[in-house]
Amino acid sequence: MCQSEYHDFLHGLPKCEHHVHLEGCLTPDLIFHLAEKNQIKLPDAKTNPAYLSIEALTRRYGNFTSLDDFLSFYFTGMSVLHHESDFADLAWAYFQKAHADGVHHAEVFFDPQVHHDRGVAYTTVVAGFTAACQRAEKELGLTTRLILCFVRHLPVHSAAHVYEQALAHDHFDTDLIHGLGWSSTEVGPPKDMFRDLYAAAAARGIPLTAHAGEEGDASYISTALELGARRIDHGIRLVEDPVLMEKIARDGVMLTVCPISNVQLRCVEDVAQVPIRQFLDAGVKFSINSDDPAYFGGYILDNYCAVQEAHRLSRDEWRFIAENSVNESWIGAERKAILLKRIDDHMQKHAGLVL
């Protein structure tokens, strides 16, 4: 965490987070606590020493070798979640931390397919996360949006099943769920594996996003756009295709960039290699996000500080990021106006600060 003169400015800057997985907020402490509560046997510490203790698991989280290495721990961690209260407690812990970091609006992913395969009902997952969203809005004034996220390592029929459940419960029509995304293993499965599901959702007017261009090359991004994605999660390899980058800037597509995640998953060596400056120079809209903060050791303010330390952005550049984060959120005009006013007030408060 930065402790220099710009820390207070970054802390107080009103933020919108668009790329955080609620299951990625499952800290080692909470994993061990829920495992004991729900009588879940974690992996044998003799064969996987990371599960010897909270401290051992925390240390292992700092040494992922790839996306798939991380995902093996990510999906193992989910095994402790069984009851509605578990999901509510998990999300509430994230919302409290996000609020303390200056988040005013959060659009959060969840992965119902994985829970369904463990025998946890879709409605249990949604009820728990929805309860936490409603609590965050009531107690913290933090508006939220739930995004159902398909996972690419499971078959398409598994994604279709949870999508049909969401439709059957009117979760899109009643605004319990506000959009669809996809995540998990990027390279390997067909780039367009959710083509039919995305076409069906687009026909219903459901907002779409997609993880692309993290480990996969820029063609994964163009495929996601072809399938109807309105924004791209990660997208750092966009810089490899100047023509596509120009198109994304022209069309106003937002990237949800996760700098610390990119470092932890070995996509880049350090935050200085995340193409923040290239995106700014090209006029590409992006927000800064935490992805799976319990696993990567950095919540949203940590990411803001890391970007500032690596790229030395100006006040106007931070305004550009903050305002685009609001304008590209899936919220109404009235809420956007409120958040934009808060950003303007913050900028005026720090008018004399030179970054």
Side-chain angles (χ1 to χ4, degrees), residues 9-86:
F9 169 77
L10 293 175
H11 188 192
L13 183 63
K15 304 170 187 69
C16 296
E17 183 150 34
H18 307 102
H19 188 159
V20 59
H21 300 264
L22 289 176
E23 290 91 346
C25 301
L26 196 54
T27 63
D29 306 62
L30 191 53
I31 287 174
F32 275 81
H33 168 72
L34 290 177
E36 181 178 4
K37 172 196 165 191
N38 294 330
Q39 298 184 322
I40 302 301
K41 183 174 176 56
L42 294 172
D44 189 346
K46 292 181 180 178
T47 56
N48 194 335
Y51 290 95
L52 182 65
S53 65
I54 293 172
E55 293 75 21
L57 190 57
T58 301
R59 286 193 299 271
R60 180 61 174 82
Y61 283 1
N63 295 281
F64 297 121
T65 58
S66 67
L67 175 61
D68 284 341
D69 180 36
F70 152 68
L71 289 172
S72 67
F73 284 89
Y74 178 73
F75 293 122
T76 296
M78 287 189 198
S79 67
V80 303
L81 298 164
H82 276 262
H83 306 291
E84 180 180 326
S85 61
D86 299 337

Side-chain angles (χ1 to χ4, degrees), residues 16 18 105 107 143 145 230 322-343:
C16 296
H18 307 102
H105 175 70
E107 302 186 356
T143 49
R145 295 289 184 266
R230 290 167 46 177
E323 291 181 345
N324 284 333
S325 297
V326 171
N327 288 323
E328 299 308 316
S329 292
W330 293 342
I331 49 178
E334 183 177 351
R335 179 61 175 166
K336 288 182 180 180
I338 291 171
L339 297 183
L340 290 171
K341 177 64 165 57
R342 291 177 183 173
I343 292 170

Side-chain angles (χ1 to χ4, degrees), residues 281-328:
D281 291 345
V284 172
K285 296 179 179 180
F286 64 91
S287 60
I288 295 171
N289 309 272
S290 63
D291 200 1
D292 301 283
Y295 291 84
F296 300 147
Y299 285 79
I300 191 168
L301 181 56
D302 301 303
N303 279 271
Y304 271 59
C305 289
V307 166
Q308 180 60 23
E309 290 170 349
H311 296 278
R312 300 295 174 182
L313 305 188
S314 68
R315 289 176 66 259
D316 286 344
E317 287 169 333
W318 279 114
R319 179 190 282 273
F320 176 80
I321 294 169
E323 291 181 345
N324 284 333
S325 297
V326 171
N327 288 323
E328 299 308 316

